[in-house]
Amino acid sequence: MMKWIKVRSLKYKIILVFIIISFLLVILQAGFFQHWISGIILRQSEANLQETVRQIGKQVDLQYKQIDANARVIRNNQVLKNYLKDLNRHTINYQIAKYQIARQIVRLPNLEMIENIYIFPVGYAPMNLFYSDAIFEADKLTEQLMTTDRPNRSEDVIWAVQPQTHLITMMMLIYDGEELLGLLRVDLNEKFHDQLDDVRLGDEGSVFLLKDHTIMFATDRRLVNLQESSLAEQLDSGTQVTFTLDYQGWKLIGVVPNKEILSQVNQVNKVLLLMELIVFAFIFLFALVILRMILRPLKQILRGMESIEQGKLDVIVNRQGNDEFSVIIRHFNHMAERVNRLIKTVYYQQLTYRKAEVINLQSKLNPHFLYNTLDMIYWMTVVKDEDEIGEAIISLSTILRYSISHQNEFVTVSEDMEQLENYLKIQRMRFEDKLSYVFHIDPAIAEIKIPKLLIQPLVENAIKYAFQQMMLGGIITIQGYTQGDDLYLEVVDNGIGMPAEKVEALLASFENKSVSGGLGIQLVRQRITYIYGEEFGLSIRSEIGRGTAITLKLCTDAGIPQEEHWKDEALHA
């Protein structure tokens, strides 16, 4: 999992893993646990809403049944009927009848929820018996009820809502046998629905009382007397519960907006998330403490390794205790001590070997004698006007001096190209018209340092193999340029080329570490990968009859490896 995340510190890797696991747990909580909790809250809210509406519905049902019973007591009062019958037969004065009927009304109990009681006698003006607002003529609905014939109308209870006051009105026809005596109207006051006004279904919930799809009561009085369809928007945007009253099949509907229920869910989720964050914070602090206990000895070991890498081989890591890290540190100290001894032994062995090798070379060949002899031959050719031979001698002398020198294993591109040109001059004298060469070196790379004699083996291969079947026109092109932080050097020839399978065999030999063929190329590649790393090396392009191109990929800021410094120190010692 860490391959795509470039984090070097073990501490930050562990912290990163902890963060990822915590993030996954939060996602799991949000996607599963919160969904589960939300379902429980929604079901519980709906159950509470159902129970609340059911309890309120039973109370409202009981109230309406009580009002209906009281109104029937008034309608069925025989004394009241007798006065209305006498009035209908014109055997009693209207005012006396009204007075006597009013006395019967005020004796009734439970009038505190009634706003008005009117009786509309047949053929007479309305009687205001118990009222806050007097009326003096029958309205159209009353006239229609008293004049319309329909079966069982003597038992009918007509409910309506006054358009102006929004008072609920109950109306019943008064009969004595088959004789219609009048109509009783009872207006309920605002106190009758106090319990509905006091209902709290959350913060924004509402209750509605409906009769035959007509709204008889609503918290928002503007909805009273409208049709049920006007509630469609509120019903669709909320959770609703319907309770059907026993009284005439009326319906009590309770509605709570979904956003209010969801806000409760969100509050619970926020509390849960806060608790999770607190728990994660404690776990994170605990993880940091554990990391500190683990990483402190690891850092001690790491600092010891860095000291060894910097050449301080006598490093000792101090740690007391008997835990696993203490054992590792003791073994590390023992290993460092042994490595130090081994390196010193190898160092002195190599130093002795180098000195012996130099003495041996000097005994076989004195470079100064060789240089002086070549210089003497050069001046002899000058005297005899053999300029071409003299030029060859100078080139050879320079090459020998450059090759035998051990002072610098790294040289600038310009220096190496200069010696390569000396080499090509001698080869051109040898092959004459069969060989020519061209240099295309970017001036910007002239001072970049590269390993000495890195390209010459490739040029030797080109001269040896590329132009075997050519009589004239052989050209070797040396190119040098940069791309980004990479330095590219190319040796291109127009020789006979190589088939694709031979190129593949050469490249395969690089991977297999085989030196059965292409020894010069293999050694060049090994030097590059040793100095610059495995990401650098060489590539080959070749085509039969059109030539071969070998491209070296180097780094513009390679530096000199530690081993080279060590060798130089050994030689100078």
Side-chain angles (χ1 to χ4, degrees), residues 523-541:
L523 292 177
V524 170
R525 177 187 175 277
Q526 287 179 359
R527 288 186 70 191
I528 294 173
T529 55
Y530 171 74
I531 294 171
Y532 297 95
E534 291 295 333
E535 65 270 27
F536 299 93
L538 60 81
S539 59
I540 303 173
R541 305 188 310 275

Side-chain angles (χ1 to χ4, degrees), residues 141-157:
L141 178 59
T142 302
E143 292 177 352
Q144 181 180 1
L145 292 174
M146 294 179 66
T147 56
T148 302
D149 290 330
R150 59 181 182 274
N152 300 322
R153 70 176 187 161
S154 62
E155 298 298 325
D156 284 351
V157 178

